[in-house]
C-alpha cells in the first residue's frame, strides 16, 4: 500500500492514540516518521482542516506553518473511522490488538520508521498493563 505524507502522519497519530496515556509530543515528530519538516507541517494543517485530528498548535509566519506543537493532538471520530476503514481494522479490537495489526501492516509496507513506532507503543502498552496488575499506577 502506498501512503502519502498526510496518511502516514494520521496513522502515526492513530497508533499513539491507542495508548492509555498518549505522548503525542515525543512521538509525533517529522524526524521520527522519516518525513521532511515542511511536509509534516502541511500534513498536520491538512488533517486538521479535514477534521481528522484536532488540537494541533501551529506556529505560522506570513501564512506559512513554521512549526507544529503536537502536545494536544487528538483523533476525531472521523479520523478514527478513516484510518480503520482504510486499513481494515475492526472497531471492536482492543488498543493492543489494533497496534499489533498496525505492526504487521507496517512490515508489509516496508515503512521501517513506523514499524519502530508501533513496537515502541506496544512495549509501553505492555508496561502500563503490568503496572496496573502490580498496582504501580500513578
Amino acid at each position: 500500500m502506498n501512503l502519502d505524507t498526510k496518511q502516514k502522519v494520521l496513522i502515526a497519530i492513530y497508533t499513539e492514540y491507542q495508548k492509555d496515556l498518549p505522548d503525542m509530543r515525543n512521538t509525533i515528530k517529522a524526524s521520527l516518521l522519516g518525513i521532511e519538516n515542511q511536509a509534516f507541517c502541511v500534513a498536520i494543517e491538512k488533517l486538521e482542516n479535514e477534521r481528522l485530528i484536532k488540537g494541533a498548535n501551529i506556529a505560522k509566519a506570513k501564512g506559512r506553518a513554521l512549526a507544529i506543537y503536537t502536545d494536544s493532538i487528538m483523533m476525531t471520530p472521523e479520523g478514527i473511522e478513516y484510518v480503520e476503514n482504510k486499513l481494515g481494522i475492526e472497531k471492536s479490537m482492543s488498543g493492543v490488538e489494533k497496534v499489533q495489526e498496525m505492526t504487521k501492516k507496517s512490515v508489509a509496507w516496508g515503512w521501517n520508521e513506523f514499524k519502530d513506532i508501533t513496537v515502541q507503543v506496544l512495549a509501553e502498552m505492555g508496561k502500563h498493563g503490568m503496572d496496573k496488575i502490580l498496582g504501580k499506577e500513578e
Side-chain angles (χ1 to χ4, degrees):
M1 173 182 298
N2 288 329
L3 300 173
D4 62 24
T5 300
K6 182 178 73 171
Q7 291 170 328
K8 286 181 179 181
V9 173
L10 182 62
I11 291 169
I13 293 168
Y14 172 87
T15 304
E16 183 66 17
Y17 187 79
Q18 298 308 311
K19 292 177 10 187
D20 288 340
L21 298 170
D23 182 7
M24 299 296 182
R25 168 187 248 175
N26 292 310
T27 56
I28 307 303
K29 295 180 175 183
S31 59
L32 293 177
L33 298 176
I35 299 170
E36 189 271 327
N37 190 59
Q38 188 59 40
F40 176 78
C41 290
V42 170
I44 292 287
E45 283 186 297
K46 287 179 178 180
L47 291 169
E48 197 158 74
N49 185 55
E50 295 170 15
R51 295 187 182 107
L52 298 175
I53 64 170
K54 62 182 180 179
N57 188 349
I58 303 168
K60 293 183 178 186
K62 297 183 181 179
R64 184 174 179 189
L66 298 177
I68 301 287
Y69 301 96
T70 58
D71 306 48
S72 301
I73 288 178
M74 296 287 284
M75 295 289 297
T76 63
E78 296 87 352
I80 292 168
E81 183 176 347
Y82 175 88
V83 171
E84 290 178 349
N85 286 340
K86 177 92 174 149
L87 303 179
I89 295 173
E90 292 292 322
K91 294 177 190 312
S92 61
M93 289 178 159
S94 71
V96 171
E97 291 170 326
K98 289 177 181 180
V99 176
Q100 288 171 335
E101 185 66 20
M102 301 295 295
T103 304
K104 290 177 196 172
K105 290 180 185 290
S106 67
V107 170
W109 300 330
W111 185 17
N112 292 327
E113 295 88 356
F114 185 66
K115 178 184 59 85
D116 295 344
I117 291 167
T118 60
V119 169
Q120 180 182 349
V121 167
L122 283 171
E124 290 174 15
M125 291 173 96
K127 180 190 179 310
H128 184 70
M130 286 305 296
D131 287 349
K132 275 185 175 178
I133 292 168
L134 299 173
K136 295 182 178 180
E137 276 192 291
E138 297 174 7

